[in-house]
Amino acid sequence: MREEFYKTPSSPIWWGALALAAIMPFMLSSYYVHILTLSLVYVALASSWNIVGGMAGQISLAHSLFIGVGAMLSSALLLKLGINMWLGLVISAAISGVLGAIIAWIDFRFQLGHLSFVLITLAFAEMGSIVVEGWDFLGGASGLLLPKDTGNFLAFQFGGGSGAFWMMLALAAICVLVNVAILNAPLGYYLRTIRDNEKAAQAIGVNILRYKIIAMVISAVLASVVGTAYVRYLTFADPYLLVSPVITIEIVLFATVGGLGRAYGPALGALLLVPLGEVLRGKLGSTLPGLHYFIYGIVVISVILVTPRGLLPLFERLWARWRNPQPVSK
Amino acid sequence: MSELYQALAQGLLIGSTYGLLALGMGLVYGVSGVVNFSHGDFISLGMFMCLALFSAFSLDPYVSVLITVPVMTAIGALVYIFLIRPMVGHQFLMVVQLTLGLSLVLQNGILMIFGGEPARTPSIVESKLVILGDVVLRVPHIIAFVVSFALAIGLYIMLRSTDFGRSIRAVHQNAHAASLMGINVGRVQVLTFALGIGILALAAALLLPGTPIQPTQGLRYTVITLLVVVLGGMTNFVGIMLGGLIIGIAEAFGTIYLDGPLGLLMPYIIFVAIMLFRPQGLTWSASR
């Protein structure tokens, strides 16, 4: 672990930003707190996806599986078997981790190229959604309705509203921090080597299988935990939202817009796009359903055409030019 | 026994159209190395254009293709020129993300115009049946089968023996050498992409009669098309048609013989198995 990592958790800016975020529920109306909570869900999800998709350069479209296991399985365990949701969270996270390890192993064992990896993970995601929609234990096509959130912390309840916001803030902060940690740890260097040139990485002795599995498991476990927390916030476990490959596509697009492989890139993308989408949906959702997705699509296409590496590098360049008006040499 | 014949026949008929959907994608991949993740949403677009033409002028989908094919071909050319060509030379995965963004735009553009309720576009042949012994076939499926194969054969002949077809194959084999031989590579790429989207307009009309459509269906068509293309070895013409038939039959067998989700999973299971053990696809040698 390099020193840069310890700078982040000890930096006043980081804690200041967190503290500022934490007092939001006292200052904003519940509608805006809801939008912020949703944004934090996607910050956490996009950051967890970034470990595999950004750092290791593997566009995994299977993350709806992990989110889905975290959301649907923990809900089903609570409702059908009466298992406490905290335990359900751990069980789902463990299963997601195993699924992630299997996918990473398949990728390595069968030497899938980038494209094949995208396709196989998409096929897994479709299979996952078909299984959940067809299996009554997991709620089937009609989903599962969780008991009312009474704020009982021991039953994984946070009292809705601001409680859920703080829970999500903590999760999002953890996910971003994990990103910072990995980027500054040897693992981050291995992953980026694998992304940039897998053969060369292997030649200099990087254990590709091991690091691919580690990255995928961390990413899957985080996504699953966020899935459980998200479904608790929503109260209704909707398979068409939580297990559909569309949620992965959203995450991938947020991460791409913000900046792939950067610690704060995916968070930036989610923080810009989710509020935009939610406000649009709130204002025009009844007259023009789908408008927010339409605009996401337009934003993504424009960002990719203008600055293919995402907005974060663009902002950094603009910042550098503003600080130092001379043309910056690379 | 009659169930077996029924499943086989149904699978073959549907599979031929899947093959046709996949040919467009395979051609584009071969010539420009682009995998279009908004493929299924272009199929949706074709279907909803037929629906619009039906509601406005009560045109039968089979007649609407006279309008939808040229329009979609033009859209395809514009999309390639303005969106995809600027990305050539960047990382391959950026094009994937770009087309995923395009898929959101198309899907939700359709949703905003037509609403989310499942819709049907009637056709005069929609409810006609042909009964051969124990096997009952729907006329739209038979039309789809005949047209798909005719078109596939037509494309094959075009690739084999016209100048445009030869230039497509030349760009596919070695774009650099092709450009040295005086082929306008950029033009071939635009035309192929436009052709691929144009084929989709036709395939959309073939799939439409009797099928309820909704804006969110695009992704599932994309996945099916991808399954077929990969099974067929990405660019192998015969392989792709074969892959279409296999996926079609797997789907028919799955829904007839197995209950519920397991049946729907059938094509995916077969796909993953083939991907893992024959990553180069079904064909044994590159015959192009």
Side-chain angles (χ1 to χ4, degrees), chain B residues 22-48:
Chain B
L23 279 183
M25 184 183 266
L27 266 180
V28 170
Y29 178 78
V31 170
S32 20
V34 170
V35 176
N36 179 6
F37 276 77
S38 54
H39 201 78
D41 298 291
F42 278 109
I43 300 172
S44 282
L45 184 64
M47 291 179 164
F48 276 93

PDB file of all heavy atoms in Angstrom, chain B residues 22-48:
ATOM      1  N   ALA B  22     -28.657 -12.197 -37.666  1.00  0.00           N
ATOM      2  CA  ALA B  22     -27.249 -12.295 -37.304  1.00  0.00           C
ATOM      3  C   ALA B  22     -26.337 -12.024 -38.497  1.00  0.00           C
ATOM      4  O   ALA B  22     -25.220 -11.545 -38.325  1.00  0.00           O
ATOM      5  CB  ALA B  22     -26.966 -13.670 -36.732  1.00  0.00           C
ATOM      6  N   LEU B  23     -26.820 -12.303 -39.712  1.00  0.00           N
ATOM      7  CA  LEU B  23     -25.979 -12.045 -40.887  1.00  0.00           C
ATOM      8  C   LEU B  23     -25.582 -10.577 -40.952  1.00  0.00           C
ATOM      9  O   LEU B  23     -24.434 -10.250 -41.247  1.00  0.00           O
ATOM     10  CB  LEU B  23     -26.738 -12.416 -42.171  1.00  0.00           C
ATOM     11  CG  LEU B  23     -26.742 -13.887 -42.534  1.00  0.00           C
ATOM     12  CD1 LEU B  23     -27.455 -14.063 -43.864  1.00  0.00           C
ATOM     13  CD2 LEU B  23     -25.337 -14.425 -42.620  1.00  0.00           C
ATOM     14  N   GLY B  24     -26.556  -9.697 -40.655  1.00  0.00           N
ATOM     15  CA  GLY B  24     -26.260  -8.265 -40.702  1.00  0.00           C
ATOM     16  C   GLY B  24     -25.139  -7.921 -39.736  1.00  0.00           C
ATOM     17  O   GLY B  24     -24.185  -7.227 -40.078  1.00  0.00           O
ATOM     18  N   MET B  25     -25.255  -8.456 -38.518  1.00  0.00           N
ATOM     19  CA  MET B  25     -24.240  -8.154 -37.517  1.00  0.00           C
ATOM     20  C   MET B  25     -22.886  -8.752 -37.901  1.00  0.00           C
ATOM     21  O   MET B  25     -21.843  -8.114 -37.750  1.00  0.00           O
ATOM     22  CB  MET B  25     -24.687  -8.682 -36.162  1.00  0.00           C
ATOM     23  CG  MET B  25     -23.727  -8.333 -35.054  1.00  0.00           C
ATOM     24  SD  MET B  25     -24.225  -9.039 -33.489  1.00  0.00           S
ATOM     25  CE  MET B  25     -25.155  -7.704 -32.788  1.00  0.00           C
ATOM     26  N   GLY B  26     -22.907  -9.963 -38.431  1.00  0.00           N
ATOM     27  CA  GLY B  26     -21.663 -10.622 -38.818  1.00  0.00           C
ATOM     28  C   GLY B  26     -20.946  -9.871 -39.931  1.00  0.00           C
ATOM     29  O   GLY B  26     -19.733  -9.672 -39.883  1.00  0.00           O
ATOM     30  N   LEU B  27     -21.722  -9.400 -40.913  1.00  0.00           N
ATOM     31  CA  LEU B  27     -21.140  -8.624 -42.018  1.00  0.00           C
ATOM     32  C   LEU B  27     -20.452  -7.378 -41.475  1.00  0.00           C
ATOM     33  O   LEU B  27     -19.313  -7.078 -41.830  1.00  0.00           O
ATOM     34  CB  LEU B  27     -22.248  -8.171 -42.976  1.00  0.00           C
ATOM     35  CG  LEU B  27     -22.566  -9.020 -44.182  1.00  0.00           C
ATOM     36  CD1 LEU B  27     -23.693  -8.365 -44.966  1.00  0.00           C
ATOM     37  CD2 LEU B  27     -21.337  -9.156 -45.051  1.00  0.00           C
ATOM     38  N   VAL B  28     -21.158  -6.647 -40.609  1.00  0.00           N
ATOM     39  CA  VAL B  28     -20.610  -5.409 -40.070  1.00  0.00           C
ATOM     40  C   VAL B  28     -19.350  -5.705 -39.269  1.00  0.00           C
ATOM     41  O   VAL B  28     -18.338  -5.008 -39.394  1.00  0.00           O
ATOM     42  CB  VAL B  28     -21.660  -4.698 -39.195  1.00  0.00           C
ATOM     43  CG1 VAL B  28     -21.035  -3.551 -38.428  1.00  0.00           C
ATOM     44  CG2 VAL B  28     -22.800  -4.213 -40.051  1.00  0.00           C
ATOM     45  N   TYR B  29     -19.396  -6.750 -38.455  1.00  0.00           N
ATOM     46  CA  TYR B  29     -18.223  -7.083 -37.657  1.00  0.00           C
ATOM     47  C   TYR B  29     -17.042  -7.422 -38.557  1.00  0.00           C
ATOM     48  O   TYR B  29     -15.919  -6.977 -38.328  1.00  0.00           O
ATOM     49  CB  TYR B  29     -18.528  -8.256 -36.719  1.00  0.00           C
ATOM     50  CG  TYR B  29     -17.320  -8.658 -35.901  1.00  0.00           C
ATOM     51  CD1 TYR B  29     -16.950  -7.907 -34.795  1.00  0.00           C
ATOM     52  CD2 TYR B  29     -16.556  -9.765 -36.250  1.00  0.00           C
ATOM     53  CE1 TYR B  29     -15.842  -8.242 -34.061  1.00  0.00           C
ATOM     54  CE2 TYR B  29     -15.437 -10.107 -35.510  1.00  0.00           C
ATOM     55  CZ  TYR B  29     -15.090  -9.342 -34.409  1.00  0.00           C
ATOM     56  OH  TYR B  29     -13.984  -9.679 -33.683  1.00  0.00           O
ATOM     57  N   GLY B  30     -17.309  -8.194 -39.614  1.00  0.00           N
ATOM     58  CA  GLY B  30     -16.235  -8.595 -40.496  1.00  0.00           C
ATOM     59  C   GLY B  30     -15.575  -7.408 -41.174  1.00  0.00           C
ATOM     60  O   GLY B  30     -14.362  -7.366 -41.354  1.00  0.00           O
ATOM     61  N   VAL B  31     -16.356  -6.409 -41.525  1.00  0.00           N
ATOM     62  CA  VAL B  31     -15.817  -5.304 -42.312  1.00  0.00           C
ATOM     63  C   VAL B  31     -15.264  -4.187 -41.438  1.00  0.00           C
ATOM     64  O   VAL B  31     -14.218  -3.622 -41.730  1.00  0.00           O
ATOM     65  CB  VAL B  31     -16.905  -4.768 -43.264  1.00  0.00           C
ATOM     66  CG1 VAL B  31     -16.464  -3.474 -43.903  1.00  0.00           C
ATOM     67  CG2 VAL B  31     -17.195  -5.801 -44.315  1.00  0.00           C
ATOM     68  N   SER B  32     -15.950  -3.860 -40.320  1.00  0.00           N
ATOM     69  CA  SER B  32     -15.417  -2.747 -39.528  1.00  0.00           C
ATOM     70  C   SER B  32     -15.039  -3.127 -38.107  1.00  0.00           C
ATOM     71  O   SER B  32     -14.649  -2.258 -37.344  1.00  0.00           O
ATOM     72  CB  SER B  32     -16.385  -1.566 -39.527  1.00  0.00           C
ATOM     73  OG  SER B  32     -17.669  -1.964 -39.872  1.00  0.00           O
ATOM     74  N   GLY B  33     -15.168  -4.402 -37.739  1.00  0.00           N
ATOM     75  CA  GLY B  33     -14.781  -4.807 -36.391  1.00  0.00           C
ATOM     76  C   GLY B  33     -15.668  -4.199 -35.321  1.00  0.00           C
ATOM     77  O   GLY B  33     -15.280  -4.101 -34.164  1.00  0.00           O
ATOM     78  N   VAL B  34     -16.878  -3.792 -35.689  1.00  0.00           N
ATOM     79  CA  VAL B  34     -17.787  -3.171 -34.728  1.00  0.00           C
ATOM     80  C   VAL B  34     -18.845  -4.181 -34.328  1.00  0.00           C
ATOM     81  O   VAL B  34     -19.450  -4.814 -35.196  1.00  0.00           O
ATOM     82  CB  VAL B  34     -18.474  -1.937 -35.353  1.00  0.00           C
ATOM     83  CG1 VAL B  34     -19.588  -1.431 -34.469  1.00  0.00           C
ATOM     84  CG2 VAL B  34     -17.460  -0.850 -35.611  1.00  0.00           C
ATOM     85  N   VAL B  35     -19.036  -4.362 -33.010  1.00  0.00           N
ATOM     86  CA  VAL B  35     -20.168  -5.156 -32.552  1.00  0.00           C
ATOM     87  C   VAL B  35     -21.219  -4.185 -32.052  1.00  0.00           C
ATOM     88  O   VAL B  35     -20.980  -3.405 -31.146  1.00  0.00           O
ATOM     89  CB  VAL B  35     -19.767  -6.126 -31.435  1.00  0.00           C
ATOM     90  CG1 VAL B  35     -20.991  -6.851 -30.924  1.00  0.00           C
ATOM     91  CG2 VAL B  35     -18.771  -7.120 -31.970  1.00  0.00           C
ATOM     92  N   ASN B  36     -22.360  -4.245 -32.688  1.00  0.00           N
ATOM     93  CA  ASN B  36     -23.392  -3.265 -32.432  1.00  0.00           C
ATOM     94  C   ASN B  36     -24.342  -3.766 -31.348  1.00  0.00           C
ATOM     95  O   ASN B  36     -25.177  -4.625 -31.602  1.00  0.00           O
ATOM     96  CB  ASN B  36     -24.145  -3.016 -33.741  1.00  0.00           C
ATOM     97  CG  ASN B  36     -25.247  -2.026 -33.591  1.00  0.00           C
ATOM     98  OD1 ASN B  36     -25.409  -1.432 -32.538  1.00  0.00           O
ATOM     99  ND2 ASN B  36     -26.021  -1.852 -34.639  1.00  0.00           N
ATOM    100  N   PHE B  37     -24.220  -3.211 -30.130  1.00  0.00           N
ATOM    101  CA  PHE B  37     -25.101  -3.648 -29.042  1.00  0.00           C
ATOM    102  C   PHE B  37     -26.475  -2.993 -29.121  1.00  0.00           C
ATOM    103  O   PHE B  37     -27.321  -3.259 -28.279  1.00  0.00           O
ATOM    104  CB  PHE B  37     -24.455  -3.381 -27.680  1.00  0.00           C
ATOM    105  CG  PHE B  37     -23.514  -4.464 -27.273  1.00  0.00           C
ATOM    106  CD1 PHE B  37     -22.256  -4.542 -27.821  1.00  0.00           C
ATOM    107  CD2 PHE B  37     -23.901  -5.437 -26.363  1.00  0.00           C
ATOM    108  CE1 PHE B  37     -21.385  -5.563 -27.477  1.00  0.00           C
ATOM    109  CE2 PHE B  37     -23.043  -6.461 -26.006  1.00  0.00           C
ATOM    110  CZ  PHE B  37     -21.781  -6.518 -26.561  1.00  0.00           C
ATOM    111  N   SER B  38     -26.700  -2.147 -30.122  1.00  0.00           N
ATOM    112  CA  SER B  38     -28.049  -1.611 -30.276  1.00  0.00           C
ATOM    113  C   SER B  38     -28.784  -2.325 -31.406  1.00  0.00           C
ATOM    114  O   SER B  38     -29.843  -1.882 -31.833  1.00  0.00           O
ATOM    115  CB  SER B  38     -27.992  -0.103 -30.541  1.00  0.00           C
ATOM    116  OG  SER B  38     -27.147   0.170 -31.633  1.00  0.00           O
ATOM    117  N   HIS B  39     -28.209  -3.437 -31.872  1.00  0.00           N
ATOM    118  CA  HIS B  39     -28.799  -4.242 -32.937  1.00  0.00           C
ATOM    119  C   HIS B  39     -30.293  -4.523 -32.693  1.00  0.00           C
ATOM    120  O   HIS B  39     -31.130  -4.248 -33.541  1.00  0.00           O
ATOM    121  CB  HIS B  39     -28.031  -5.558 -32.989  1.00  0.00           C
ATOM    122  CG  HIS B  39     -28.145  -6.289 -34.278  1.00  0.00           C
ATOM    123  ND1 HIS B  39     -27.430  -5.939 -35.394  1.00  0.00           N
ATOM    124  CD2 HIS B  39     -28.873  -7.365 -34.629  1.00  0.00           C
ATOM    125  CE1 HIS B  39     -27.714  -6.771 -36.368  1.00  0.00           C
ATOM    126  NE2 HIS B  39     -28.582  -7.643 -35.931  1.00  0.00           N
ATOM    127  N   GLY B  40     -30.592  -5.057 -31.502  1.00  0.00           N
ATOM    128  CA  GLY B  40     -31.976  -5.420 -31.182  1.00  0.00           C
ATOM    129  C   GLY B  40     -32.896  -4.218 -31.165  1.00  0.00           C
ATOM    130  O   GLY B  40     -34.073  -4.324 -31.503  1.00  0.00           O
ATOM    131  N   ASP B  41     -32.355  -3.064 -30.782  1.00  0.00           N
ATOM    132  CA  ASP B  41     -33.200  -1.874 -30.737  1.00  0.00           C
ATOM    133  C   ASP B  41     -33.497  -1.365 -32.140  1.00  0.00           C
ATOM    134  O   ASP B  41     -34.539  -0.759 -32.377  1.00  0.00           O
ATOM    135  CB  ASP B  41     -32.540  -0.806 -29.884  1.00  0.00           C
ATOM    136  CG  ASP B  41     -32.383  -1.291 -28.461  1.00  0.00           C
ATOM    137  OD1 ASP B  41     -33.404  -1.442 -27.788  1.00  0.00           O
ATOM    138  OD2 ASP B  41     -31.251  -1.575 -28.053  1.00  0.00           O
ATOM    139  N   PHE B  42     -32.581  -1.631 -33.083  1.00  0.00           N
ATOM    140  CA  PHE B  42     -32.903  -1.317 -34.476  1.00  0.00           C
ATOM    141  C   PHE B  42     -34.010  -2.238 -34.985  1.00  0.00           C
ATOM    142  O   PHE B  42     -34.856  -1.817 -35.778  1.00  0.00           O
ATOM    143  CB  PHE B  42     -31.664  -1.430 -35.361  1.00  0.00           C
ATOM    144  CG  PHE B  42     -30.798  -0.197 -35.323  1.00  0.00           C
ATOM    145  CD1 PHE B  42     -29.578  -0.214 -34.690  1.00  0.00           C
ATOM    146  CD2 PHE B  42     -31.228   0.967 -35.910  1.00  0.00           C
ATOM    147  CE1 PHE B  42     -28.790   0.924 -34.646  1.00  0.00           C
ATOM    148  CE2 PHE B  42     -30.451   2.120 -35.869  1.00  0.00           C
ATOM    149  CZ  PHE B  42     -29.227   2.091 -35.239  1.00  0.00           C
ATOM    150  N   ILE B  43     -34.012  -3.498 -34.522  1.00  0.00           N
ATOM    151  CA  ILE B  43     -35.119  -4.391 -34.889  1.00  0.00           C
ATOM    152  C   ILE B  43     -36.423  -3.808 -34.353  1.00  0.00           C
ATOM    153  O   ILE B  43     -37.425  -3.712 -35.076  1.00  0.00           O
ATOM    154  CB  ILE B  43     -34.884  -5.802 -34.330  1.00  0.00           C
ATOM    155  CG1 ILE B  43     -33.588  -6.378 -34.887  1.00  0.00           C
ATOM    156  CG2 ILE B  43     -36.065  -6.714 -34.669  1.00  0.00           C
ATOM    157  CD1 ILE B  43     -33.186  -7.672 -34.244  1.00  0.00           C
ATOM    158  N   SER B  44     -36.395  -3.378 -33.067  1.00  0.00           N
ATOM    159  CA  SER B  44     -37.577  -2.733 -32.485  1.00  0.00           C
ATOM    160  C   SER B  44     -38.011  -1.563 -33.335  1.00  0.00           C
ATOM    161  O   SER B  44     -39.198  -1.404 -33.629  1.00  0.00           O
ATOM    162  CB  SER B  44     -37.258  -2.177 -31.097  1.00  0.00           C
ATOM    163  OG  SER B  44     -37.252  -3.171 -30.153  1.00  0.00           O
ATOM    164  N   LEU B  45     -37.029  -0.739 -33.722  1.00  0.00           N
ATOM    165  CA  LEU B  45     -37.340   0.432 -34.521  1.00  0.00           C
ATOM    166  C   LEU B  45     -38.067   0.025 -35.801  1.00  0.00           C
ATOM    167  O   LEU B  45     -39.094   0.615 -36.161  1.00  0.00           O
ATOM    168  CB  LEU B  45     -36.045   1.183 -34.851  1.00  0.00           C
ATOM    169  CG  LEU B  45     -36.185   2.495 -35.608  1.00  0.00           C
ATOM    170  CD1 LEU B  45     -36.945   3.496 -34.768  1.00  0.00           C
ATOM    171  CD2 LEU B  45     -34.824   3.052 -35.973  1.00  0.00           C
ATOM    172  N   GLY B  46     -37.550  -1.010 -36.464  1.00  0.00           N
ATOM    173  CA  GLY B  46     -38.199  -1.491 -37.678  1.00  0.00           C
ATOM    174  C   GLY B  46     -39.629  -1.924 -37.409  1.00  0.00           C
ATOM    175  O   GLY B  46     -40.552  -1.603 -38.162  1.00  0.00           O
ATOM    176  N   MET B  47     -39.822  -2.668 -36.295  1.00  0.00           N
ATOM    177  CA  MET B  47     -41.166  -3.162 -35.978  1.00  0.00           C
ATOM    178  C   MET B  47     -42.124  -2.007 -35.693  1.00  0.00           C
ATOM    179  O   MET B  47     -43.267  -1.993 -36.157  1.00  0.00           O
ATOM    180  CB  MET B  47     -41.107  -4.082 -34.767  1.00  0.00           C
ATOM    181  CG  MET B  47     -40.410  -5.397 -35.039  1.00  0.00           C
ATOM    182  SD  MET B  47     -40.353  -6.392 -33.544  1.00  0.00           S
ATOM    183  CE  MET B  47     -39.966  -7.991 -34.248  1.00  0.00           C
ATOM    184  N   PHE B  48     -41.634  -1.021 -34.919  1.00  0.00           N
ATOM    185  CA  PHE B  48     -42.537   0.078 -34.568  1.00  0.00           C
ATOM    186  C   PHE B  48     -42.822   0.978 -35.755  1.00  0.00           C
ATOM    187  O   PHE B  48     -43.888   1.592 -35.836  1.00  0.00           O
ATOM    188  CB  PHE B  48     -41.978   0.868 -33.383  1.00  0.00           C
ATOM    189  CG  PHE B  48     -42.324   0.241 -32.070  1.00  0.00           C
ATOM    190  CD1 PHE B  48     -41.462  -0.652 -31.467  1.00  0.00           C
ATOM    191  CD2 PHE B  48     -43.537   0.503 -31.460  1.00  0.00           C
ATOM    192  CE1 PHE B  48     -41.790  -1.254 -30.273  1.00  0.00           C
ATOM    193  CE2 PHE B  48     -43.872  -0.099 -30.269  1.00  0.00           C
ATOM    194  CZ  PHE B  48     -42.993  -0.982 -29.666  1.00  0.00           C
TER     195      PHE B  48
END
